[in-house]
Amino acid sequence: MPDRFVRVALGVTLGLLIAFVAQPYILAFLYSAEAPRPVTARGDLSAAERTTVDLFARAAPSVVHVFAQAAAQGRALMEPDDEFGQGPGDGQQQGSGTQTGTGIVWDAAGHVVTNNHVVEAATKGGGSISVRLSSGEVVSARVVGTAPSYDLAVLQLGRVAKMPPPVAVGTSADLKVGQAAFAIGNPFGLDHTLTTGVISALQRRLPTQEGRELSGVIQTDAAINPGNSGGPLLDSAGRLIGVNTAIFSPSGASAGIGFAVPVDVVNRVIPDLIKNGRVRNPGIGIIAGQEATAARLGIDGVVVLRVLPGSPAAQAGLRGVDPRTGEIGDVIVGANGSPVHRLSDLTAVVEETGLDRPVTLLVERDGRVRTVRLNTADVAQTRL
């Protein structure tokens, strides 16, 4: 009896083992899909998906791909593009000397807004600029004007078969942290890429050229990578709320912290660039001392290093550092009722004041603080 039980148990065990080993082959024989499978109906897109799809369809034709070629570095036509090459900062610098970025069609006359740093090398070196439209057409372009202090530039498209539609312009005055944000650009040379996110912060400060800091900058976590420079940041209505200009990332790739120039600043600067080729920067006519040096000396405020002759600051009697003795003259500690701790504080007040408008300064000299009233003026060639 025990022998029979053992034989039965061994038989059952062997059968189970054979079934276990053969199971994949049996399933493959019985259930392999050797013909195309029927498509499962998905139903309608969600409301959020439809909004995003419609937004891209409306805005994408207004977004272009900008190629700025430095004059000194020619390139063979048959040399392949390095579309996935890493570029410094948030722009894409290809090995051939071509800086690529994104642009936004601004008006029906064919003006395109982009970042100054995208076209700077070609502008200074006498190079060439070309633009690829959403239709695939490639046209030449020329620089109409640049505003390095805002990292903005305006291009004029050459002859176009069909002019793309201008982007819809919104406002950055009523933006809220947490609202949806959409970026369209050409990261790593990949045309018309849409990324989504939210507005992460407002009123950031971003260093630009000419010794200025741009205030009121928009921070977003919508992915911005090399090649997105100059592209649009849009709200959920598809309106332009900013021009993507920089990322904060040690690797040069998106780390969830991107910055955009507010559209209200863009909407003020671009008409000047189109009309005059340059933007009139409100200022008072001073060159500020180094903030690090002022901090080491225990000075809380903006040290006036030099006053420009004939400027509003000169007319108001402001005094810079004595070049012979190094003695400090005036330190600006307040402007229009707001404290001034660093140059960006003063720049923000002057920018908000605008051109040919009165501004009231609190100026410290020899331990005494006095009030100085003056008007701003166009001092684009100076720091402030």
Side-chain angles (χ1 to χ4, degrees):
M1 186 71 177
D3 292 340
R4 182 180 179 185
F5 176 78
V6 170
R7 287 197 298 272
V8 171
L10 289 174
V12 171
T13 302
L14 181 61
L16 291 175
L17 181 61
I18 293 172
F20 177 78
V21 173
Q23 181 188 24
Y25 303 97
I26 296 172
L27 292 177
F29 176 76
L30 295 176
Y31 300 111
S32 291
E34 297 178 353
R37 293 195 58 199
V39 175
T40 303
R42 71 166 310 280
D44 295 334
L45 295 174
S46 68
E49 288 175 312
R50 289 197 303 271
T51 298
T52 303
V53 170
D54 292 344
L55 180 150
F56 181 78
R58 293 195 311 271
S62 303
V63 181
V64 302
H65 200 165
V66 179
F67 303 84
Q69 175 71 52
Q73 301 183 29
R75 184 179 186 186
L77 179 63
M78 299 306 294
E79 183 181 345
D81 282 326
D82 180 18
E83 288 192 342
F84 300 96
Q86 289 284 347
D90 68 322
Q92 185 180 0
Q93 179 70 49
Q94 296 181 351
S96 62
T98 299
Q99 180 80 19
T100 70
T102 306
I104 308 164
V105 179
W106 185 256
D107 58 25
H111 289 112
V112 170
V113 175
T114 187
N115 282 150
N116 177 67
H117 75 258
V118 171
V119 299
E120 183 178 24
T123 303
K124 291 183 177 180
S128 61
I129 299 173
S130 59
V131 172
R132 182 162 61 209
L133 309 182
S134 62
S135 64
E137 181 183 4
V138 177
V139 298
S140 61
R142 63 179 179 86
V143 176
V144 172
T146 62
S149 297
Y150 303 93
D151 196 16
L152 292 172
V154 174
L155 309 178
Q156 173 69 66
L157 295 177
R159 188 178 297 277
V160 180
K162 182 180 180 182
M163 189 65 67
V167 69
V169 175
T171 178
S172 51
D174 58 0
L175 295 179
K176 306 294 183 184
V177 173
Q179 76 178 73
F182 304 82
I184 302 178
N186 306 293
F188 305 109
L190 301 172
D191 283 348
H192 287 81
T193 299
L194 172 69
T195 56
T196 65
V198 298
I199 294 175
S200 306
L202 298 168
Q203 301 302 319
R204 294 301 194 206
R205 287 172 173 167
L206 186 68
T208 62
Q209 299 180 30
E210 307 297 327
R212 287 176 174 256
E213 278 190 341
L214 183 60
S215 61
V217 171
I218 303 166
Q219 180 183 327
T220 180
D221 69 344
I224 297 174
N225 282 295
N228 275 103
S229 301
L233 187 68
L234 307 167
D235 64 10
S236 57
R239 305 179 309 161
L240 182 70
I241 57 174
V243 174
N244 299 320
T245 190
I247 59 175
F248 183 80
S249 170
S251 67
S254 178
I257 301 180
F259 299 99
V261 180
V263 71
D264 290 349
V265 174
V266 177
N267 211 5
R268 175 174 60 83
V269 169
I270 297 306
D272 262 358
L273 293 182
I274 293 174
K275 184 178 180 180
N276 304 312
R278 58 177 292 269
V279 63
R280 299 186 301 160
N281 291 321
I284 59 176
I286 67 166
I287 294 179
Q290 294 286 337
E291 291 181 0
T293 303
R296 285 198 301 269
L297 296 175
I299 298 173
D300 184 17
V302 173
V303 176
V304 179
L305 181 65
R306 186 157 59 92
V307 177
L308 298 181
S311 66
Q315 295 171 10
L318 293 188
R319 181 192 302 170
V321 175
D322 190 320
R324 295 172 299 174
T325 65
E327 181 182 357
I328 295 175
D330 288 327
V331 179
I332 300 174
V333 296
N336 283 356
S338 299
V340 171
H341 303 290
R342 44 192 301 212
L343 179 61
S344 57
D345 297 328
L346 180 57
T347 301
V349 172
V350 172
E351 291 279 355
E352 184 179 350
T353 300
L355 275 170
D356 302 321
R357 305 284 293 177
V359 61
T360 301
L361 305 178
L362 289 181
V363 180
E364 180 179 334
R365 182 191 297 176
D366 299 328
R368 293 179 297 177
V369 177
R370 72 186 194 282
T371 300
V372 175
R373 294 180 177 84
L374 45 76
N375 280 2
T376 61
D378 179 14
V379 289
Q381 74 279 10
T382 68
R383 291 193 174 184
L384 186 67

